[in-house]
Amino acid sequence: IHFYKRLIMLVKTLFSGLARSASRTLSTTTARCGGDTLVVHRDTPENNAETPFVFTQENADRAQAIMSIYPDGHKRAAVIPMLDLAQRQNGGWLPISAMHHVAEVIGMPRMRVYEVATFYTMFMRNPVGKYHIQVCTTTPCWLRGSDEIMEAVKANLGIGPGETTKDKMFTISEVECLGACVNAPMFQINDDYYEDLTVKDTEEILEDLKAGKKPPAGPRSGRYAAEPFGALTSLTETPPGPGEGCRADL
């Protein structure tokens, strides 16, 4: 009996260790490092409760317009667009003082705002560069060469995932699916998607950004959107008209 108890304990320990290892292996920089960092806040010189933050007058007006969409008693539902507004005002990342300001404007407990900001990975709770490059490495993009795209980004900028260039211009994050699987491989830079990428495309996009240019977003392959590269493989016949195929006596 003691032998079997010890065996069961050993098996449980082994599987819990494997689960922890798998969790670490499958995590990405966005999950590891607000949107891309620890869930627990750590004060830093640039990110603490004393960091000045209030909405500009323009954004204060936008905040009131956002809140007006929601009925009385449900203003707290505006917390996500309000946090996004604060992050955009602050150069692409969300300090804890901005969360406090949003909580004050909406009239909700700070803890509820923390819960939202730490749950959604698009909220970056540490400083990022002017251009935040989010490289998708989920299965469709990986099958289409996302490893090569990531290596090209790293080589061009001299940094790795979760890091920012010394001039504060670029930050790299490795992220999960961005919903453009049919245009894999792809990455997102700030609000723009760059799709159907090759290593050459990647280098051209980064060099344009370094030169202060705005590379055109979207597929780099010549496709307009997500249409097939060749001829249609389905829906090739004229669709039947109304009533076609129905009995004549009905």
Side-chain angles (χ1 to χ4, degrees):
I1 295 175
H2 292 299
F3 170 78
Y4 285 112
K5 285 184 176 179
R6 292 174 63 185
L7 181 61
I8 291 170
M9 291 177 62
L10 179 62
V11 170
K12 286 183 176 179
T13 301
L14 175 62
F15 276 100
S16 64
L18 289 172
R20 286 194 298 271
S21 297
S23 175
R24 286 193 294 270
T25 302
L26 293 172
S27 67
T28 61
T29 50
T30 298
R32 288 199 307 270
C33 97
D36 65 330
T37 190
L38 294 169
V39 173
V40 178
H41 171 77
R42 305 294 189 199
D43 274 356
T44 62
E46 68 273 8
N47 186 10
N48 58 74
E50 303 304 318
T51 303
F53 183 90
V54 292
F55 281 131
T56 63
Q57 186 57 54
E58 180 181 5
N59 282 341
D61 293 341
R62 287 181 178 176
Q64 292 303 315
I66 291 170
M67 291 178 62
S68 70
I69 298 171
Y70 300 89
D72 291 341
H74 299 278
K75 300 296 184 183
R76 295 182 180 187
V79 64
I80 292 178
M82 295 278 277
L83 287 173
D84 179 69
L85 184 64
Q87 178 166 278
R88 290 174 184 277
Q89 177 177 312
N90 200 58
W93 69 283
L94 190 67
I96 195 168
S97 57
M99 299 181 210
H100 295 172
H101 185 61
V102 168
E104 179 183 354
V105 172
I106 297 179
M108 63 188 294
R110 290 178 175 180
M111 179 53 68
R112 298 303 184 202
V113 178
Y114 300 160
E115 289 170 347
V116 174
T118 57
F119 181 82
Y120 291 102
T121 57
M122 73 279 286
F123 295 125
M124 308 304 296
R125 293 179 291 110
N126 279 321
V128 296
K130 179 179 180 180
Y131 300 109
H132 182 203
I133 305 170
Q134 302 180 70
V135 183
C136 177
T137 58
T138 311
T139 305
C141 280
W142 175 70
L143 289 171
R144 295 281 294 167
S146 65
D147 285 353
E148 289 80 3
I149 301 304
M150 175 64 86
E151 289 304 315
V153 174
K154 289 162 59 178
N156 186 284
L157 300 179
I159 57 173
E163 298 177 345
T164 300
T165 54
K166 292 181 180 180
D167 60 5
K168 309 298 183 185
M169 289 293 288
F170 296 93
T171 296
I172 303 175
S173 291
E174 179 184 0
V175 299
E176 299 302 329
C177 185
L178 292 171
C181 306
V182 74
N183 295 97
M186 57 82 64
F187 54 51
Q188 178 180 351
I189 302 180
N190 297 346
D191 289 331
D192 293 323
Y193 275 22
Y194 295 88
E195 305 159 330
D196 294 337
L197 294 172
T198 64
V199 170
K200 182 174 182 291
D201 293 326
T202 300
E203 292 171 347
E204 287 177 355
I205 291 167
L206 296 178
E207 292 304 318
D208 280 350
L209 293 173
K210 289 178 183 178
K213 301 176 183 177
K214 177 68 184 300
R220 303 282 292 191
S221 59
R223 289 198 285 181
Y224 175 74
E227 70 278 10
F229 283 108
L232 291 174
T233 58
S234 62
L235 302 177
T236 57
E237 300 174 352
T238 302
E244 186 173 336
C246 293
R247 286 169 46 188
D249 59 336
L250 294 178

